[in-house]
Amino acid sequence: MKFESQRVAKPYFIFALMLFVGQILFGLVLGLQYIVGDFLFPYIPFNVARMVHTNLLIVWLLFGFMGASYYLVPEECDTELHSPWLAKAMFWVFAAAGVMTILGYLLVPYSELAELTMNHLLPTMGREFLEQPTITKIGIVIVCLAFIYNIGMTVLKGRKTVINMVLITGLIGLAVFFLFSFYNPKNLVLDKFFWWWVVHLWVEGVWELILGAILAFVLIKVTGVDREVIEKWLYVIIALALISGLIGMGHHYFWIGPGPYWLWLGSIFSALEPVPFFMMVLFAFRVVSQRRHQHGNRVATLWALGTAVMAFLGAGVWGFIHTLAPVNYYTHGSQITAAHGHLAFFGAYAMIVMCIISYAMPIMRGRPQGNPAVAQKLETFAFWTMCLSMLGITLALTVAGAWQVALQRLPETGALSFMNTQAKLIPVFWVREAFGVVFATGLVAYLASFFVGQKAAVTTPAVETTATEAETEIKAQGACCGSCN
């Protein structure tokens, strides 16, 4: 680890994983509630469990992105973080706000929570993924502003690299598009139109820039490939991702009221969205095949490759399956959508956060070449367990969605009602739940891998840089002092 201030990433990573555990537990609860409708009712109704499950997903990924930024930006800039104390303070503010909000969902009826938090002064609650009380949203804005200020000032005073520029562009976009969560028009079409400016432009827009920057950073560190090679790939990938993703938002406008031209724009540009993800697969495997050294943290390399493949499958292939308007007419809002959502979020964003944690956490704990071999074996088991079980969940939901369409939406006469259709899908939901338990097992193994073989760890000074890392940086900077890069 080159700079002591990189250690501020550690609590962000730890808390992110704690929230990840909570998300999976509530996911298992939701899976059972699809089968046994009154499971845990009235203590944790379905709508509350789903709200907690999705909100934990968003918040733990944000903690992961913040931790990743605080770790990689000082190293990319070749300077200490602008204000470590601000990063630590905002961690506690964000963590406290998140915990209190989740407890509010669980302990107080949602309508009473809206009254307690004075939602009537600036109504923003009640929309999917944006259920947070207004006061929580304001807190998120404050945390994001402090975070971007801290990262931005670090970039300004240090070395400028493509990775830094791509990352901070994505982070600024994340903050800007979140502001649309405060816009809550009475017109339902307008509401849904701008609601997607948060949800879609996060996950199929600016978050992809963050994904690309983190992946490029890890690949540089574990392969030693010239920075210029990786940066050229990164430019092309993010350009295609933004072009296809921004206009591809039209696939959400098919059936909510805007003009019919979105049927064409949404279909065409959404069909292009798998291209940058496929390029990311080519990019990752080519870089690893051309590596100049074998880094000791081999499982971090595995996570990097796995991220590219699973993101392509989830965001690319499963997104394309139901994105064309004639197909989406039947599949919209079905379990096929859930299949795409699960695999895309896990493959693109959960895995990249676990990738940077897998690379950075051992270094922050005095293991510059990664965890001991026995720990990496356990983490490799966790990687394959989570990836294969998530594919199982996705396939189960895809089968459920196709069956749902066949029973409920295709027949012109004799179509089953929604609830009768759900009853027919229960056997598939049991399969999904079983894979969910396997996934939870993989997550436990991932967490346990950080505590295996601790006695074998070799403690190094906090600011020591390994010879391999130093050599990589020298190659990246060329013959000059680095100030011109």
Side-chain angles (χ1 to χ4, degrees):
M1 190 169 67
K2 295 181 67 174
F3 300 100
E4 181 62 28
S5 58
Q6 290 177 275
R7 288 191 183 278
V8 300
K10 192 172 182 179
Y12 283 88
F13 288 153
I14 293 173
F15 195 67
L17 292 176
M18 292 171 62
L19 296 179
F20 188 21
V21 171
Q23 184 213 347
I24 299 308
L25 290 177
F26 276 92
L28 293 174
V29 169
L30 276 172
L32 277 177
Q33 288 179 335
Y34 267 96
I35 301 165
V36 183
D38 58 356
F39 178 67
L40 293 183
F41 185 85
Y43 307 105
I44 306 179
F46 177 86
N47 65 305
V48 173
R50 188 180 186 279
M51 189 162 51
V52 173
H53 177 65
T54 56
N55 277 237
L56 284 174
L57 166 66
I58 295 168
V59 174
W60 90 258
L61 290 177
L62 291 178
F63 269 98
F65 292 160
M66 289 180 175
S69 301
Y70 283 134
Y71 183 85
L72 74 85
V73 166
E75 196 158 329
E76 282 291 297
C77 291
D78 200 25
T79 185
E80 292 283 3
L81 184 67
H82 174 69
S83 179
W85 73 264
L86 181 61
K88 294 175 183 176
M90 288 301 102
F91 166 78
W92 290 109
V93 171
F94 196 16
V99 170
M100 291 177 65
T101 300
I102 295 300
L103 290 177
Y105 292 158
L106 293 172
L107 301 178
V108 182
Y110 193 68
S111 58
E112 291 184 21
L113 182 63
E115 293 180 9
L116 287 172
T117 56
M118 295 181 286
N119 182 66
H120 63 280
L121 298 177
L122 180 60
T124 67
M125 297 175 66
R127 292 172 293 170
E128 187 181 12
F129 301 122
L130 303 177
E131 298 94 345
Q132 309 85 22
T134 301
I135 190 171
T136 300
K137 290 187 176 76
I138 294 173
I140 292 173
V141 171
I142 293 172
V143 170
C144 285
L145 288 175
F147 168 62
I148 291 173
Y149 165 78
N150 209 353
I151 295 296
M153 293 301 293
T154 307
V155 172
L156 286 175
K157 73 176 183 178
R159 184 179 58 155
K160 282 59 172 188
T161 68
V162 173
I163 290 176
N164 277 339
M165 294 301 104
V166 170
L167 177 65
I168 198 166
T169 302
L171 296 175
I172 292 172
L174 183 156
V176 169
F177 288 121
F178 182 73
L179 295 177
F180 285 95
S181 67
F182 291 91
Y183 181 55
N184 189 12
K186 293 181 179 179
N187 183 287
L188 186 59
V189 175
L190 277 178
D191 175 35
K192 283 298 181 184
F193 189 93
F194 288 104
W195 177 80
W196 284 114
W197 284 44
V198 182
V199 178
H200 175 93
L201 293 181
W202 267 19
V203 300
E204 296 181 58
V206 294
W207 280 24
E208 292 180 4
L209 274 65
I210 300 171
L211 160 65
I214 298 173
L215 182 61
F217 173 80
V218 173
L219 287 173
I220 286 175
K221 295 301 177 182
V222 299
T223 66
V225 171
D226 284 344
R227 178 181 295 272
E228 289 80 5
V229 174
I230 291 178
E231 289 175 346
K232 288 176 183 176
W233 276 92
L234 185 57
Y235 272 132
V236 175
I237 290 171
I238 64 169
L240 288 173
L242 287 178
I243 292 170
S244 61
L246 293 178
I247 305 178
M249 182 168 60
H251 63 237
H252 298 297
Y253 295 161
F254 288 164
W255 323 117
I256 67 171
Y261 52 86
W262 284 114
L263 297 174
W264 288 97
L265 289 176
S267 295
I268 293 170
F269 282 90
S270 293
L272 296 175
E273 287 190 57
V275 175
F277 285 100
F278 180 67
M279 292 188 66
M280 192 178 295
V281 175
L282 298 179
F283 155 65
F285 277 87
R286 180 174 179 178
V287 167
V288 171
S289 69
Q290 294 176 345
R291 59 188 165 197
R292 296 186 175 184
H293 63 76
Q294 179 68 59
H295 196 279
N297 193 342
R298 298 190 178 190
V299 72
T301 307
L302 179 63
W303 279 109
L305 295 173
T307 297
V309 173
M310 296 293 279
F312 169 65
L313 292 175
V317 175
W318 257 263
F320 178 78
I321 284 175
H322 68 142
T323 199
L324 300 178
V327 177
N328 192 265
Y329 179 79
Y330 295 100
T331 62
H332 180 73
S334 69
Q335 294 296 331
I336 293 177
T337 305
H340 162 58
H342 278 76
L343 189 56
F345 265 108
F346 174 72
Y349 303 120
M351 287 186 68
I352 194 58
V353 171
M354 287 189 282
C355 176
I356 187 66
I357 292 175
S358 179
Y359 171 76
M361 190 66 82
I363 297 174
M364 289 189 286
R365 300 174 70 196
R367 304 172 180 180
Q369 287 296 309
N371 286 324
V374 63
Q376 292 199 44
K377 287 182 180 179
L378 182 59
E379 190 175 347
T380 301
F381 166 79
F383 169 88
W384 287 110
T385 301
M386 283 192 280
C387 287
L388 293 176
S389 58
M390 182 53 69
L391 287 172
I393 291 171
T394 302
L395 290 172
L397 288 172
T398 303
V399 171
W403 199 358
Q404 179 183 3
V405 170
L407 293 175
Q408 183 185 347
R409 301 184 179 185
L410 282 178
E412 295 183 5
T413 59
L416 295 181
S417 67
F418 175 81
M419 293 307 297
N420 286 335
T421 301
Q422 294 300 301
K424 296 285 188 181
L425 302 181
I426 285 179
V428 186
F429 290 150
W430 274 116
V431 175
R432 188 262 303 267
E433 185 73 1
F435 278 116
V437 173
V438 177
F439 184 92
T441 304
L443 177 56
V444 170
Y446 177 78
L447 299 175
S449 69
F450 292 100
F451 301 96
V452 172
Q454 292 195 62
K455 293 181 180 180
V458 178
T459 303
T460 59
V463 295
E464 180 180 342
T465 305
T466 66
T468 299
E469 289 176 324
E471 180 184 354
T472 302
E473 288 302 314
I474 292 171
K475 289 176 181 176
Q477 294 177 13
C480 68
C481 63
S483 61
C484 60
N485 289 344

